[in-house]
Amino acid sequence: MKDNTSSIKITTFGELLLRMQVSGGNRFTQMNELQVYIGGAEANVCILLSQLGLNTHYVTRLPDNDLSKLALDELYKYKVDTSDCIFGGERMGLYFVESGNYIRASQVIYDRSNSAFSTINEDEVNWDAVLADSTLFHWSGISPGVSLGAALMCKKAILSAYNNGIDISSDFNFRSKLWQYGKHSSEIMPGLLYYSTITIADLDSAEIYFGITTSKNDSHSDRFLKVYESLKEKMPYLKTLAMSFRSSEDATQVYYGMLLYEGQLYESKKAKLHVITDQIGTGDAFCAGLLYGLTNNLSGQETIDWAIACGALKQSVPGDFAIITPAEIQHFINHNSSNRINR
């Protein structure tokens, strides 16, 4: 495989957040201390892509204070370019996490109203200049769910990328606790997704955004293909569709993915995850693995295998970021595990 990572520059747009994690497996009502992580879907994608050797470029709006500096320093540590981030507003967005387990679901409480990102104005970024040397623009459905201003800024970025011939990647990423500003996601998302050449979807979001329904009695592959055929009519530039799936077998999580690439369906092996440390950020790691494969001209099978390996390995790492290496990813692909000791 020829490594052409030096010629690739992936630009993303989204909200950078402080994640406040209840420690020790306690519930919110038992909380006596919090662990702090930095996160956000698009930032998570950049962090992993940077570790894989790609040039990444992250754009957001933050307040001009030390909490923002803390967050940006984390991105800088992983060589993510944040030079086009803008400053304004009063506060960073927060989210609080109570970890669940096989019996009880994890819980998330958002505190993002009136954040610097949610009050962004579409005139604050010159996207033609920001995207000048980018090869791909990536965004997710989380950003337009935060506020109308963020949705309008996202639209401006997408149109700039489209008009300048830049490939556009999207992640459906529906969050039911967002979309509180008077617009239903089905009013906003179809128009934004229209221009995507690459997208990561899921069965539920496809129904919420586009009204695409599939039968739960059908196989995942049949449902995937039905969604793809329907999306092609609504997203005319779509070339590549990916999804990840999760199920349980005897108290073990089974995780795998599918990819429609150059007209052919590819399916990964099923990864069995016996222990999960942290699921948050799994989809972003899957996305990063997918974009790595596509931008490096891996085969369809190699690409979906990389995406699933990245998503699986993320679940072994606490926090939003997938702190993993190419060697660990390759080992997982070859052995469906990383349960070795490096000595």
Side-chain angles (χ1 to χ4, degrees), residues 217-229:
N217 295 323
D218 292 341
S219 67
H220 279 159
S221 58
D222 286 344
R223 299 176 76 185
F224 176 91
L225 290 171
K226 180 177 179 180
V227 169
Y228 174 71
E229 291 301 323

Side-chain angles (χ1 to χ4, degrees), residues 4-5 8-12 41-42 44-46 48-49 52 54 56 135-139 167-171 197-200 240 242 259 283-298 302-304 306-308 310:
N4 66 336
T5 55
I8 296 167
K9 182 177 180 181
I10 295 177
T11 296
T12 70
E42 295 79 11
N44 299 342
V45 172
C46 283
L48 181 48
L49 287 174
L52 299 179
L54 274 69
T56 60
T135 52
L136 184 140
F137 175 69
H138 175 73
W139 64 283
D167 283 339
I168 299 169
S169 164
S170 56
D171 188 334
T197 52
I198 302 164
T199 202
I200 297 169
T240 303
L259 170 67
D284 306 322
F286 175 87
C287 175
L290 180 80
L291 294 180
Y292 176 84
L294 294 173
T295 54
N296 278 278
N297 299 315
L298 301 188
E302 289 171 320
T303 296
I304 192 61
W306 264 79
I308 283 297
C310 289

Side-chain angles (χ1 to χ4, degrees), residues 38 57 102 113 125 140 171 195 220 239 268 276 294 298 333:
I38 310 303
H57 180 211
Y102 281 110
S113 297
V125 177
S140 87
D171 188 334
Y195 300 93
H220 279 159
K239 297 178 182 178
S268 74
I276 294 176
L294 294 173
L298 301 188
I333 291 170

Side-chain angles (χ1 to χ4, degrees), residues 31-46:
M31 176 174 54
N32 53 31
E33 63 178 1
L34 291 166
Q35 295 173 292
V36 180
Y37 297 100
I38 310 303
E42 295 79 11
N44 299 342
V45 172
C46 283

